[in-house]
Amino acid sequence: MSKSNLKERTRAQESTNAIERLYISMRHLFSRGFYKPMGVSGETLRNSLLELRPEIYGSIAEERTELNGLKYVIERLPEGIEECRFINLTTDEGYKNSHFKVIVPPKRRRNCYRIDTDQMNIEITRGRSEIYDILTHLTFLFIESHKIKDKVTIGSAGGKYTREWLNLEDVVVYNKTLSDKEKDVMMVHLGNILGRTYEEIYEVYHSFATEEIPNRFLHLIYWLGKLAINEVELDAKRSITFTTNLTEEIGHHFYGEIWADTIKKKLLENNLLERPIHIISANMHSVMNSIYAKMALPKEDAKSKGFEIYELLSNANSQAIQSKVKQCASENGLFYIKDTSGTNINVQIIDTQKLDFAKIPFQKKHSAEKAPVIIVMDYAFGEQAYETMDELLKPFKTMNKTIHLDVESVSIMGKAGILEGGKGDIMIPSAHIFEGTADNYPFANELSKEDLEGFGVQVFDGAMVSVLGTSLQNKDLLKFFHDSTWNVIGLEMEGAHYQKAIQSNSKIRGNISSDVSVRYAYYASDNPLETGATLASGGLGMSGVTPTYAITQKILEQIF
């Protein structure tokens, strides 16, 4: 074996070990009930993350502050968390009925509550994956905060700080409005504190700014540094606590069962429970738009070629025509179930018997003698995919009888990281490999590479690896998965969990037919093997329209 191959393999093995230690450490801390992230109890978590050096967290192991990773993390945590010493992870414990204002992070659907100046409560209703996600993000945040503290503190005794820090403190504490020239001076000071160029600081400053808080970035950096300083000089340690209810409920399908029963009751109310059922895990717009847009928007459809009408509907300024499609859908067989269970997974039920196939872009062939029902469920998060799918596939018990659902197919469309190709390309998996275990789930995918060719994007087929969290991936490990005989084409968080639920219910427990069809297809949201192409580099934008609707079209064609 060549030295370079041995080095790559060794680094991949180190990364695997680091992920395993992170996983075990987080499980241990969760069972313990609380820990201090920058104390002895959080040391394993910190060291493992620094050894792993995930791509999303960029320069976490370097002295300079990681800006893209910081933006990525802050968008997934509640506003103001940098000011809080005490972070409590809870279940849904009734805060929505209190006078606390609910805070929802821009890029994660989770309810958070600022209890007082020092405490933030975060509701966990989506399973263990949500806990891992939050803990790794918080660990990154605290590591970065101590980098700031090290840069601005003079001497080992503490109490003395750099001129740049004192200027920053003056602006933030007194909430000063800066002139353009003063702002430039502050950007230079921040560059010295964070180890970044003026240009980098100026760009990220504007990306954090909001109308309410134009100096959001200054506040963020100050409070991160301030709490780290207080931790060292005043022994005011930050702590993370898990409530008793959370430790008791996690893993027991508490929210998934409520969610699934709500869907089945809706099916029963509308006499749909014993009809053929097709389940699709996707977003809340692509299936609806694919079926109803042509019917709802005949003028716009006549002017459109390819997927242009869907690009129009995907535009943030198209609320008027989006409303037309929703209205048309509600009048032609679509029921919407807004989640109240806590799973944060909304659902659409489509009764295809109420569709006029002369007005939609699909022909009724495979289902000519049937009137199937389509259940569209929004994206699950990590291990939550097993909980929700397992509960949905179980029989429904009424007062008089037990009804087994006639589930003919389960289709999963999702976003994933790609290891060959780029953003917007499509992956068709043949198996899911569960990272950190020997578990693997091969299956017969009803979708093929050939089905998705001809849409102007690249299509790859092979195995997918289901990871503990996209924020834990590094190049060495992913390169090993891609280059070895595992032949992995991409990574995501739900596939193995969905397949585990489908297999156990169809092949072992007999809850649904053993001949159930499965379809998996993913479009690439990022390429973690390419520098500057990770999730931290931004979203897909309009480039996601083609793969999303190409996959949706093929799923619906096969159903009909």
Side-chain angles (χ1 to χ4, degrees):
M1 186 182 291
S2 70
K3 287 185 179 180
S4 62
N5 285 344
L6 185 62
K7 185 178 178 182
E8 282 178 16
R9 187 179 172 190
T10 303
R11 180 67 190 124
Q13 289 169 333
E14 287 173 356
S15 302
T16 301
N17 291 336
I19 288 175
E20 287 175 358
R21 284 198 301 276
L22 276 163
Y23 182 56
I24 293 166
S25 178
M26 287 189 283
R27 292 290 288 261
H28 165 70
L29 295 170
F30 174 61
S31 300
R32 185 181 181 212
F34 78 97
Y35 76 104
K36 294 176 180 177
M38 300 309 292
V40 175
S41 52
E43 188 174 4
T44 303
L45 213 56
R46 297 195 311 272
N47 291 342
S48 298
L49 202 62
L50 287 168
E51 183 181 340
L52 185 62
R53 298 193 296 275
E55 298 309 307
I56 275 177
Y57 296 152
S59 56
I60 185 173
E62 300 173 19
E63 285 187 16
R64 59 182 182 159
T65 298
E66 168 55 36
L67 298 180
N68 285 335
L70 187 63
K71 181 85 165 75
Y72 180 86
V73 164
I74 289 299
E75 287 178 335
R76 286 154 179 82
L77 293 173
E79 185 179 322
I81 198 164
E82 69 277 2
E83 302 174 17
C84 297
R85 272 184 62 204
F86 306 106
I87 297 162
N88 288 5
L89 304 191
T90 76
T91 57
D92 180 355
E93 297 178 12
Y95 295 112
K96 60 178 173 287
N97 301 319
S98 70
H99 292 96
F100 296 117
K101 180 186 175 184
V102 63
I103 306 168
V104 180
K107 296 291 179 70
R108 279 284 185 269
R109 290 169 296 177
R110 52 173 69 114
N111 293 337
C112 310
Y113 301 89
R114 184 77 177 265
I115 305 303
D116 55 34
T117 53
D118 290 323
Q119 181 177 332
M120 181 73 75
N121 282 18
I122 303 175
E123 282 186 359
I124 305 294
T125 57
R126 307 182 78 181
R128 287 193 185 94
S129 294
E130 189 168 20
I131 295 172
Y132 307 149
D133 187 58
I134 291 169
L135 294 189
T136 50
H137 288 342
L138 288 174
T139 303
F140 163 81
L141 208 59
F142 297 154
I143 289 171
E144 294 298 317
S145 75
H146 275 251
K147 288 186 194 176
I148 297 167
K149 183 268 299 177
D150 292 341
K151 280 280 190 180
V152 303
T153 307
I154 300 173
S156 56
K160 293 183 179 180
Y161 311 105
T162 63
R163 183 172 65 93
E164 291 90 346
W165 176 256
L166 295 174
N167 286 342
L168 175 62
E169 185 172 52
D170 191 45
V171 170
V172 173
V173 171
Y174 295 104
N175 202 24
K176 289 187 175 179
T177 302
L178 300 176
S179 67
D180 288 342
K181 187 173 182 181
E182 288 170 330
K183 195 183 295 179
D184 283 346
V185 171
M186 187 51 64
M187 297 302 108
V188 174
H189 288 337
L190 280 175
N192 291 335
I193 292 171
L194 304 179
R196 293 289 183 172
T197 66
Y198 168 85
E199 188 177 27
E200 288 173 319
I201 298 294
Y202 197 82
E203 185 178 337
V204 79
Y205 169 84
H206 285 288
S207 72
F208 275 97
T210 64
E211 285 186 22
E212 299 81 18
I213 316 174
N215 288 333
R216 172 92 174 96
F217 184 60
L218 306 187
H219 284 257
L220 176 67
I221 298 303
Y222 171 74
W223 283 107
L224 284 176
K226 182 65 175 174
L227 263 61
I229 289 168
N230 291 349
E231 210 160 25
V232 173
E233 296 183 2
L234 305 177
D235 200 33
K237 301 292 185 187
R238 286 172 281 195
S239 69
I240 294 174
T241 305
F242 309 94
T243 64
T244 304
N245 281 350
L246 180 62
T247 54
E248 287 176 354
E249 285 182 6
I250 206 76
H252 292 163
H253 293 199
F254 181 81
Y255 298 100
E257 185 177 3
I258 298 170
W259 174 82
D261 281 351
T262 302
I263 296 167
K264 291 167 190 173
K265 285 173 185 173
K266 186 73 171 178
L267 291 170
L268 186 65
E269 286 169 15
N270 291 277
N271 298 314
L272 304 174
L273 193 59
E274 298 186 60
R275 296 250 294 271
I277 291 172
H278 297 269
I279 299 168
I280 303 175
S281 172
N283 52 58
M284 285 286 95
H285 56 79
S286 61
V287 175
M288 179 180 67
N289 289 345
S290 295
I291 293 174
Y292 295 102
K294 183 177 180 180
M295 188 191 308
L297 307 168
K299 291 181 182 177
E300 290 84 351
D301 180 62
K303 298 175 186 175
S304 300
K305 295 178 182 178
F307 294 145
E308 285 177 357
I309 192 166
Y310 305 127
E311 289 180 5
L312 185 64
L313 283 163
S314 300
N315 194 307
N317 301 318
S318 299
Q319 289 95 337
I321 61 170
Q322 289 167 9
S323 296
K324 280 186 180 180
V325 175
K326 288 177 184 176
Q327 182 65 31
C328 176
S330 65
E331 293 168 357
N332 291 274
L334 186 142
F335 307 93
Y336 180 71
I337 304 175
K338 184 168 178 58
D339 179 65
T340 55
S341 69
T343 61
N344 282 311
I345 299 177
N346 298 322
V347 171
Q348 295 164 340
I349 297 173
I350 301 171
D351 179 2
T352 64
Q353 196 168 45
K354 296 183 178 179
L355 290 176
D356 183 348
F357 279 82
K359 295 180 180 179
I360 68 171
F362 298 99
Q363 294 180 325
K364 200 171 183 181
K365 290 182 178 178
H366 305 308
S367 56
E369 303 303 318
K370 304 174 183 178
V373 174
I374 299 173
I375 298 174
V376 184
M377 57 182 282
D378 207 348
Y379 296 125
F381 187 74
E383 288 185 23
Q384 188 192 33
Y386 175 75
E387 175 180 338
T388 49
M389 187 61 71
D390 185 53
E391 291 297 330
L392 185 55
L393 298 180
K394 285 180 182 177
F396 184 61
K397 294 180 181 178
T398 67
M399 293 287 287
N400 303 316
K401 60 178 177 176
T402 298
I403 303 171
H404 284 73
L405 275 65
D406 182 12
V407 178
E408 293 195 348
S409 76
V410 181
S411 305
I412 312 297
M413 177 182 75
K415 290 186 288 188
I418 196 168
L419 303 183
E420 188 178 342
K423 286 186 178 185
D425 289 340
I426 291 173
M427 291 156 278
I428 306 294
S430 54
H432 286 106
I433 302 156
F434 192 18
E435 180 190 53
T437 71
D439 299 352
N440 52 80
Y441 301 89
F443 53 86
N445 195 342
E446 293 292 319
L447 290 172
S448 67
K449 182 179 178 180
E450 291 71 30
D451 287 332
L452 276 303
E453 287 176 337
F455 289 99
V457 295
Q458 293 188 87
V459 186
F460 301 90
D461 58 2
M464 299 283 288
V465 60
S466 294
V467 300
L468 289 174
T470 51
S471 58
L472 294 182
Q473 298 314 300
N474 77 338
K475 284 185 180 179
D476 301 287
L477 184 57
L478 296 175
K479 198 167 188 302
F480 167 74
F481 270 126
H482 180 256
D483 295 345
S484 69
T485 52
W486 283 110
N487 186 33
V488 167
I489 55 170
L491 64 146
E492 47 76 57
M493 288 181 62
E494 293 79 31
H497 303 296
Y498 275 131
Q499 192 58 26
K500 181 167 67 170
I502 295 165
Q503 284 183 194
S504 65
N505 280 280
S506 63
K507 308 294 184 187
I508 300 171
R509 300 159 74 183
N511 288 334
I512 61 172
S513 169
S514 59
D515 295 327
V516 63
S517 297
V518 292
R519 305 179 189 90
Y520 288 89
Y522 300 93
Y523 56 93
S525 57
D526 64 299
N527 185 333
L529 290 181
E530 281 185 19
T531 302
T534 67
L535 282 170
S537 66
L540 275 166
M542 283 297 178
S543 64
V545 171
T546 295
T548 299
Y549 283 92
I551 295 167
T552 305
Q553 179 178 303
K554 290 300 173 182
I555 289 172
L556 290 172
E557 280 179 5
Q558 290 193 6
I559 288 172
F560 289 129

